[in-house]
Amino acid sequence: MKIRYVALAAAICCAAALLLLLSTHRRSGLGKYGLGEFKDFSPMEVYDMVLPVLTKYYLLRQDTGGTLLEKTIDHVNFYATPGNFTRISGLGSGGKSFFDHVSLMFTSGNLYCSEQAVFASMLLNREAHMRSTDVVGHTFFEAKQNGHWSIVDPMYDMKIKNKNGSIASFDDMAAYVGGDKSVLQLPERISNRTLSYLQKFNSTRFTVSGQGRKTTFGEHHYFLKFDCTPCAGQSYEAFMETQYKTYKNVNRLFFKNKAFIYYSCRLDSDLSKGKNSLKDVYAVQDEFMKRIEKSYDGPFPWDVYKARQLQFLGRYAEARSIMEKLPKATDVQFYLSQIYYKQKDKDAFASLENALRSDIYYRYLYYQLMGSFLDANDSIAFSNFDYRDIRFAAPQP
């Protein structure tokens, strides 16, 4: 009898261990964060959908001061180098949806104003109501927080404050240009670059001679704040069934829009509950990198793509260890310079000055990090460089 009891106890222990193992397996990877398997989309497509959520929680854990809105503008602006390096279509500009090729576009850095604004709005949409507004030759969004609309314009690093200390709205800027100088916090003498930016809000420039327009000056286009309630606790399949009874013949673009809401909301909800959400952010990213690598066929070498994704979420040492082993292509050297800048490694950063001297983005970072100009004419070049750190005051004579 004793032998039977021992055998029975051993069997129970083994069964319990097996159940625990199976339970752990089911909870491991991305299923633990409510994402489950991706039977309708590739791992990269889903990663593009959730990258704004990962970025949000990375930024929330950065003790750099400022609001999430200000951190978002800084982050997107830093990694966007319009006109430089490989051009990838997506994020609404040549892509089939606003979620196409997000990670590939940021790998390059060559993003237009609309693409930068779209990514920022995807990051902020669970936190604020969003709208877009028409101006001449430029696209940006606005986010409503505490009853106030603030411009979300990463391309120009726009952080002009209104008289209440909030980032200005379209209406604030238009009022200033219209003659109410008290509405913005600006010095009496402003730089030409700031003046040029303000003129985007001049109503007389909105009508282009000989070209008809479907919109009027200051017309806003409102977007609903993401409602994550419908997918709370639901599986992907159950969520899709609630959106439409059958999706056998559903347009893939609409299907992808719904999937974005599901995946981003589930991940956002789970990360918001984590005691150490930055650790969770990295765990999610690592799992995606493992899955993407198995079928990766992007326009960049895999190591470049992976290192850039790590870099975007502050994993500088890991990204650096990968990139320093790669061939010294110009784009890789610039991406490395951004890592050195973030790590405040002046020696490593300065070692790239001969290779990157012709790149104004590098020279601007050089000025910020080293406290001196790399080229003698940089003081003039930077006064006309729209894409970094708007200086409001005009230089003193």
Side-chain angles (χ1 to χ4, degrees):
M1 290 294 290
K2 281 187 176 181
I3 293 176
R4 290 183 180 178
Y5 285 133
V6 170
L8 181 60
I12 292 172
C13 288
C14 289
L18 180 60
L19 287 172
L20 178 62
L21 179 63
L22 291 173
S23 174
T24 302
H25 178 72
R26 284 195 297 267
R27 289 174 54 79
S28 65
L30 298 176
K32 167 181 181 179
Y33 301 99
L35 297 181
E37 298 300 319
F38 322 134
K39 70 175 186 179
D40 296 306
F41 301 100
S42 71
M44 183 182 285
E45 286 180 307
V46 179
Y47 180 67
D48 286 341
M49 295 178 198
V50 302
L51 183 56
V53 179
L54 295 175
T55 304
K56 181 181 90 168
Y57 281 95
Y58 162 66
L59 294 177
L60 285 173
R61 293 299 177 270
Q62 302 310 296
D63 187 20
T64 56
T67 64
L68 177 61
L69 171 58
E70 291 169 327
K71 290 179 180 181
T72 298
I73 293 171
D74 282 337
H75 184 79
V76 178
N77 175 268
F78 182 81
Y79 285 112
T81 51
N84 269 22
F85 311 128
T86 303
R87 172 71 189 157
I88 305 294
S89 295
L91 276 173
S93 297
K96 293 181 180 179
S97 85
F98 283 110
F99 322 116
D100 283 343
H101 306 151
V102 177
S103 58
L104 290 173
M105 295 186 76
F106 272 87
T107 297
S108 165
N110 189 349
L111 289 89
Y112 296 150
C113 55
S114 59
E115 295 156 350
Q116 295 181 45
V118 165
F119 182 81
S121 71
M122 291 164 68
L123 191 157
L124 294 166
N125 200 275
R126 278 161 295 278
E127 309 297 322
H129 293 275
M130 305 297 298
R131 72 184 184 189
S132 65
T133 306
D134 286 313
V135 297
V136 177
H138 184 53
T139 300
F140 61 84
F141 285 77
E142 291 179 89
K144 187 178 183 181
Q145 297 175 308
N146 300 319
H148 172 73
W149 291 97
S150 292
I151 290 173
V152 183
D153 190 355
M155 185 167 188
Y156 288 100
D157 196 19
M158 213 305 288
K159 300 192 199 72
I160 295 175
K161 300 293 181 67
N162 67 8
K163 60 185 178 183
N164 298 320
S166 299
I167 291 180
S169 67
F170 171 90
D171 296 327
D172 291 332
M173 303 288 259
Y176 181 91
V177 173
D180 183 1
K181 303 305 180 185
S182 68
V183 73
L184 298 180
Q185 293 184 24
L186 286 174
E188 186 175 346
R189 294 180 67 253
I190 59 176
S191 66
N192 288 334
R193 178 170 55 179
T194 303
L195 181 60
S196 175
Y197 186 82
L198 289 169
Q199 287 307 304
K200 297 180 184 298
F201 302 86
N202 189 333
S203 61
T204 61
R205 295 187 61 212
F206 193 75
T207 303
V208 180
S209 176
Q211 296 182 13
R213 285 189 173 273
K214 296 180 181 179
T215 56
T216 59
F217 179 75
E219 181 177 339
H220 303 302
H221 309 278
Y222 292 86
F223 303 91
L224 291 176
K225 185 178 179 182
F226 285 158
D227 179 11
C228 294
T229 305
C231 57
Q234 283 192 317
S235 68
Y236 172 76
E237 290 78 8
F239 172 74
M240 286 303 175
E241 286 292 343
T242 63
Q243 300 303 304
Y244 27 76
K245 293 180 180 179
T246 177
Y247 46 85
K248 291 180 180 178
N249 299 312
V250 171
N251 177 277
R252 183 173 171 82
L253 175 58
F254 181 76
F255 185 48
K256 193 168 186 178
N257 291 344
K258 293 294 185 180
F260 167 74
I261 295 174
Y262 175 81
Y263 286 125
S264 61
C265 282
R266 285 301 303 267
L267 182 57
D268 193 283
S269 175
D270 282 319
L271 290 180
S272 69
K273 301 170 186 173
K275 294 180 180 179
N276 187 349
S277 62
L278 190 55
K279 182 179 178 180
D280 289 340
V281 164
Y282 294 160
V284 171
Q285 187 182 48
D286 286 340
E287 184 66 27
F288 270 109
M289 291 301 103
K290 286 191 294 185
R291 297 188 185 205
I292 293 171
E293 184 177 13
K294 294 177 182 177
S295 58
Y296 180 77
D297 62 351
F300 307 98
W302 165 251
D303 286 341
V304 173
Y305 175 83
K306 180 180 179 180
R308 284 291 271 174
Q309 303 315 306
L310 298 176
Q311 180 180 358
F312 299 148
L313 300 184
R315 305 173 74 172
Y316 304 124
E318 296 170 80
R320 177 174 178 169
S321 68
I322 295 172
M323 281 195 183
E324 288 184 333
K325 298 172 185 175
L326 298 176
K328 292 180 171 53
T330 301
D331 56 351
V332 171
Q333 288 180 299
F334 178 75
Y335 303 152
L336 266 172
S337 78
Q338 290 183 310
I339 293 174
Y340 298 152
Y341 177 89
K342 289 290 189 179
Q343 292 181 318
K344 295 182 171 55
D345 188 338
K346 293 184 178 182
D347 291 337
F349 186 89
S351 71
L352 298 173
E353 63 181 66
N354 290 332
L356 297 175
R357 183 180 290 270
S358 63
D359 190 325
I360 191 171
Y361 294 97
Y362 174 80
R363 297 204 311 274
Y364 184 80
L365 293 181
Y366 185 99
Y367 172 65
Q368 294 290 308
L369 181 63
M370 312 297 278
S372 60
F373 295 121
L374 181 56
D375 285 344
N377 68 343
D378 277 346
S379 61
I380 298 174
F382 296 155
S383 68
N384 299 309
F385 187 39
D386 290 332
Y387 306 143
R388 289 290 183 274
D389 187 28
I390 289 177
R391 308 277 177 94
F392 308 134
Q396 295 298 312

